[in-house]
Amino acid sequence: MRVLVIGSGAREHALLLALRRDPQVEGLAIAPGNAGTGAVADQYDVDISSGDAVVGLAREFGADLVVIGPEVPLVLGVGDAVRAAGIACFGPSKDAARIEGSKAFAKDVMAAAGVRTARSEIVDNPAHLDAALDRFGPGAGETAWVVKDDGLAAGKGVVVTADRTAARAHAAGLLDDGHPVLLESFLDGPELSLFSVVDGRTVVPLLAAQDFKRVGDGDVGPNTGGMGAYAPLPWLPDELAARIVAEVVEPVAAELVRRGSPFTGLLYAGLAITSTGPAVVEFNCRFGDPETQSVLALLDSPLGQLLHAAATGELAGFPALRWRDGAAVTVVLAAENYPGRPRLGDVIAGADLDGVLHAGTARRDDGAIVSSGGRVLSVVGTGADLTAARADAYDRLGSIRLPGGHFRNDIGLAAAEGKIRV
C-alpha cells in the first residue's frame, strides 16, 4: 500500500511514523510536510486546499490511500475530489466536515441525535450581543462566559472568562470581522478527547486522551492550538468510556447517515465529564493535535490497514485494536510570543532526537533547522505509567534548544498525582 498524507504539523509526523510501522505500507509521501517529515516520507509542495492539486499528486505518487490531516482541506471538500478520482481517502466529505466547520451545524446534529451538550445561542448582529451575554455567564448563575467563533479558528477562537468586559470584547471583535459568535453555558468537570475511526454507522474508538489548551502552567493565559496531551486517562473508568461511545459518538454518526452525509474518517469528540454526566464541548472532523502524538505512540495495530478499512467501507470487519502497555505524554515546544505572533527563523538544536516530532519547522539552505510557526515541536515520552512517561518527555525536552522557546511543565501532572476525579 502506498499512502499520501496531507498536512504539515506534528500530527502528520506522528501519522507517518505510525504508518511506517504497518508492514503493508511500502511507500509514504507527505505534502507539504516540514523539516522533520522528509526523513520519513517523500515530500511534495502542493496547494493542499486544492482538490485538483491533491488528486494530481496522488496520481503521480501512485497512492492507494490519501490521509487528510488538517481540517481546512476537509471543510473545502478535498476528500470529495480524491474519492471522485477513484482513490481511497481517509477523511470526511465536505458535508460531513461541517461537524467542525460550523458549530451551529454541530449543535443541530447533536440536538437531533439526543446528545447532551452545552446550552448555546448564535449571535450574528452586534445589536443583540449585550442581551445575549446577559443570558450566560456569572450573571446567569454560571461560572464563566464561553465565547466561540462559529467557524474554524485553529483552536484559538475560544475565550472562557468570568470577566464580562473580556467576553464582550472577544465577541465584538469576531462580529466586527464578520464572524457569527456562539455563546455557550460553561461545563464543569475534567475534559477529554475521544477519537473514533468511523465508517458510516461503524465506530471504532481509540484511546481517550486529555489535552491542554491554555498557554501557561495551571491553565492560565490565552487558549492555544494545544500545549500538550497524555494518554490513556487513569481517571476514566472503562464503563464511562463505553457510555460515551454509545451515547455520543454512535448517535452522531447515525444522525449524519440519516441526513445523507455519512462520516468517513476520524471523528473527534471533545467532552466535559460534568457533575451530571458527559457533555460535548465540540466535535472535530480529523485527528486532533497534540492528542494524536500521544495516542498513536501507543497503538500496536497496523494504522495503514485500519485507515484503509474505513476509507473502503470495510471497518466493521477490522480486528479489535491492540494497544501497547504504559502511557504517553506529549509536550509542545512553542516559539517566543506564541499564541501571539511568533518569532520565526530561530535555529533549533536537538530537533533530530528520537521522540521529537516536527510542526513549525523549516530547513535553511545551509541545512540548519529553524522555527517557522508558533508550535514548533512536539516531544513525546513513553513509560510504564504517566510519571515515567512525563519524565521521559521532559528529559528529551531538556536536550533541545530554541531561543525564546517555551513549554508547559505540568502536562499530565495532575493525573499522575491522582488529583483528577470523575
Side-chain angles (χ1 to χ4, degrees):
M1 186 191 323
R2 293 173 65 79
V3 183
L4 168 62
V5 175
I6 299 299
S8 62
R11 164 185 52 214
E12 287 75 30
H13 199 168
L15 284 165
L16 290 173
L17 293 175
L19 287 164
R20 190 171 63 171
R21 298 196 297 265
D22 186 331
Q24 287 194 13
V25 175
E26 60 183 18
L28 279 173
I30 185 166
N34 55 48
T37 55
V40 187
D42 297 337
Q43 200 147 295
Y44 298 87
D45 185 14
V46 301
D47 178 5
I48 64 172
S49 66
S50 165
D52 289 343
V54 172
V55 167
L57 174 58
R59 285 174 170 158
E60 176 187 340
F61 178 68
D64 302 294
L65 174 67
V66 175
V67 178
I68 301 178
E71 61 273 24
V72 172
L74 293 168
V75 170
L76 292 176
V78 172
D80 300 281
V82 173
R83 278 183 286 271
I87 302 168
C89 182
F90 185 82
S93 66
K94 180 177 181 178
D95 279 350
R98 288 184 294 162
I99 199 74
E100 178 172 2
S102 168
K103 295 178 180 64
F105 174 78
K107 291 288 186 182
D108 186 58
V109 169
M110 284 186 275
V115 171
R116 185 167 174 264
T117 185
R119 178 174 62 88
S120 65
E121 183 175 337
I122 291 284
V123 180
D124 57 9
N125 186 330
H128 301 156
L129 177 58
D130 287 304
L133 286 169
D134 290 341
R135 293 188 281 273
F136 293 85
E142 299 175 354
T143 304
W145 282 275
V146 180
V147 184
K148 297 182 177 182
D149 187 332
D150 182 53
L152 297 178
K156 293 179 285 186
V158 182
V159 163
V160 181
T161 179
D163 182 343
R164 182 188 174 96
T165 301
R168 191 186 191 287
H170 183 62
L174 292 173
L175 290 168
D176 286 346
D177 289 339
H179 294 237
V181 170
L182 181 75
L183 299 180
E184 284 188 337
S185 58
F186 179 78
L187 298 174
D188 62 337
E191 293 190 10
L192 64 84
S193 303
L194 181 65
F195 297 172
S196 296
V197 177
V198 176
D199 164 18
R201 293 180 181 271
T202 303
V203 172
V204 176
L206 308 186
L207 290 179
Q210 186 177 60
D211 75 330
F212 295 75
K213 284 287 194 289
R214 301 274 190 162
V215 71
D217 289 358
D219 288 328
V220 300
N223 271 357
T224 71
M227 293 298 293
Y230 68 92
L233 308 183
W235 48 269
L236 181 69
D238 290 344
E239 59 270 20
L240 184 52
R243 177 182 166 192
I244 291 169
V245 174
E247 296 182 4
V248 174
V249 186
E250 290 177 346
V252 165
E255 174 61 19
L256 289 172
V257 170
R258 189 191 70 78
R259 293 176 179 226
S261 303
F263 192 99
T264 297
L266 195 290
L267 187 58
Y268 167 132
L271 303 108
I273 309 303
T274 73
S275 54
T276 54
V280 173
V281 175
E282 64 178 351
F283 274 104
N284 292 333
C285 65
R286 38 71 193 183
F287 279 101
D289 185 338
E291 300 99 319
T292 297
Q293 291 88 295
S294 290
V295 171
L296 292 186
L298 300 173
L299 180 66
D300 200 36
S301 292
L303 180 64
Q305 295 172 55
L306 172 64
L307 304 187
H308 190 268
T312 55
E314 302 294 333
L315 185 60
F318 196 83
L321 298 186
R322 304 188 307 272
W323 298 95
R324 300 174 181 180
D325 293 334
V329 171
T330 298
V331 182
V332 170
L333 177 62
E336 181 174 340
N337 199 44
Y338 178 80
R341 178 172 295 184
R343 193 174 80 184
L344 308 179
D346 288 311
V347 175
I348 310 163
D352 56 351
L353 297 171
D354 287 343
V356 177
L357 306 182
H358 289 233
T361 64
R363 192 176 295 276
R364 278 193 330 208
D365 291 343
D366 63 2
I369 296 174
V370 298
S371 58
S372 64
R375 293 189 296 171
V376 181
L377 301 172
S378 283
V379 181
V380 182
T382 56
D385 55 23
L386 275 179
T387 298
R390 274 178 42 81
D392 187 37
Y394 284 103
D395 181 63
R396 295 173 192 268
L397 196 55
S399 300
I400 301 170
R401 296 289 179 269
L402 171 64
H406 62 96
F407 56 88
R408 283 185 59 158
N409 295 282
D410 61 349
I411 304 300
L413 178 60
E417 294 178 343
K419 293 181 179 179
I420 301 182
R421 297 282 189 273
V422 174

